[in-house]
Amino acid sequence: MQHWELIAKLLRNEASQEEIAIVNSWIKESSENEKLFLEIKKIWESSPLNTNEVFDKATAWSNIQNKIKTETKVIPLNPTSKSSFTIFLRIAAVLVISLFATWGIYTSLNSPDQLSTVTHQNRTELKLADGSTVWLNSNSSLNYPEFFSGNDRTVQLNGEAYFEITKNPDMPFIIENTEFMVKVLGTSFNIFSYDKDDE
């Protein structure tokens, strides 16, 4: 069965029409497939990842680890037995769904929160996580991460700002705008670019 990823996407409402059709076709192939899908769906619907409520990421991660530890069972499999094969498929399905859930939580725990500062008639001085300083002019906005991760330090600017960038040749600083992108390693400069302006 090569449809685990498609089933996970379908349950997260991220599958395309073509992917949904593939899963539905697989479900209709046999009653075993239908039973397996319904069991996976039941597990997914009872998962805390399936709610829109705000939940504590650290607690969710701990609960998943504890559940895996307490529910680990050794089941002898007889490859000639159809019921053993069904049990094997169910175990595989639970493991695949657990892996997707673990990956989702790990990604959300390690992704920085995005912050946004908007000025109106005032000017604001911002200190970024890398030590860089930004003076944001009036009627401007800057979107930036709580901390920088990955290979660069990227922010989004609309309006005018003066930047004093902390030097880091291994992690370039990038200012994005709808019209351009500025990439520096460490320097001071001013950028003026409002959405309503032609230049």
Side-chain angles (χ1 to χ4, degrees), residues 42-105:
K42 184 178 177 184
I43 293 168
W44 175 254
E45 287 173 348
S46 66
S47 166
L49 296 176
N50 186 40
T51 65
N52 293 323
E53 301 172 10
V54 176
F55 67 97
D56 182 7
K57 297 174 185 176
T59 303
W61 174 253
S62 176
N63 288 343
I64 285 177
Q65 287 185 324
N66 290 335
K67 192 170 178 84
I68 289 170
K69 286 177 188 172
T70 58
E71 292 188 1
T72 301
K73 296 178 183 175
V74 177
I75 299 174
L77 295 178
N78 179 357
T80 59
S81 167
K82 188 174 180 181
S83 63
S84 294
F85 183 70
T86 303
I87 292 170
F88 172 76
L89 281 178
R90 289 179 179 167
I91 293 170
V94 170
L95 287 175
V96 168
I97 296 297
S98 296
L99 285 174
F100 276 107
T102 303
W103 178 80
I105 291 175

